[in-house]
């Protein structure tokens, strides 16, 4: 995915209908479906997150949400521990992906990001988050 997305299908706006019914009633299903297809395409090209890790992330997110309300200081300590883990693993992953001589476009597609966003993420991880 490169730069801001612009759909290829035109969806003309009937401004008389918008004026008569209001913008909240206008049918935007065409552009929304175009966007859904784009996101699905990006997701399909991205490197999948292993199912066991996706499950752990979901559990962690739910637990952190609960702790943020009930025990905010515990949630903050957990976040600090996660930041440390992210910095360490992120640095290794960033250097390894670069050492594998993968192109910027390949890395961007694998991460589901634009080339600019992927470069920024790799730089952030390589510099210790």
């Amino acid at each position: 995915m490169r730069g801001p997305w612009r759909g290829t299908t035109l969806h003309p706006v009937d401004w008389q209908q918008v004026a008569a019914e209001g913008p909240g009633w206008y049918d935007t299903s065409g552009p929304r479906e175009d966007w859904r297809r784009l996101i699905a395409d990006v997701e399909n090209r991205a490197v999948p997150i292993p199912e066991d890790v996706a499950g752990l992330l979901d559990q962690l997110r739910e637990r952190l949400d609960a702790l943020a309300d009930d025990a905010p200081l515990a949630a903050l300590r957990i976040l600090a521990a996660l930041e440390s883990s992210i910095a360490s693993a992120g640095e290794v992953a960033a250097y390894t992906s670069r050492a594998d001589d993968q192109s910027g476009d390949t890395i961007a597609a694998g991460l589901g990001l634009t080339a600019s966003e992927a470069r920024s993420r790799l730089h952030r991880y390589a510099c210790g988050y």
Side-chain angles (χ1 to χ4, degrees), residues 88-103:
S88 177
E91 186 175 4
V92 172
Y95 280 115
T96 303
S97 67
R98 288 179 176 160
D100 288 346
D101 287 329
Q102 298 183 56
S103 74

Side-chain angles (χ1 to χ4, degrees), residues 5-56:
W5 175 74
R6 289 183 178 48
T8 57
T9 305
L10 293 178
H11 299 279
V13 175
D14 180 346
W15 290 106
Q16 290 179 343
Q17 183 182 2
V18 171
E21 298 178 13
W25 292 99
Y26 199 77
D27 179 18
T28 58
S29 60
R32 276 185 285 147
E33 180 59 23
D34 290 350
W35 180 253
R36 187 201 62 73
R37 280 194 303 269
L38 170 75
I39 296 303
D41 181 51
V42 169
E43 288 289 328
N44 287 333
R45 286 185 282 126
V47 173
I49 296 174
E51 287 185 35
D52 63 324
V53 175
L56 289 171

Side-chain angles (χ1 to χ4, degrees), residues 53-109:
V53 175
L56 289 171
L57 289 171
D58 287 342
Q59 289 176 0
L60 182 59
R61 189 175 303 116
E62 288 175 18
R63 188 68 177 110
L64 281 170
D65 285 346
L67 283 172
D69 287 335
D70 300 335
L73 296 179
L76 290 171
R77 288 208 54 207
I78 293 166
L79 292 171
L82 286 171
E83 286 174 353
S84 175
S85 295
I86 289 167
S88 177
E91 186 175 4
V92 172
Y95 280 115
T96 303
S97 67
R98 288 179 176 160
D100 288 346
D101 287 329
Q102 298 183 56
S103 74
D105 287 340
T106 299
I107 292 171

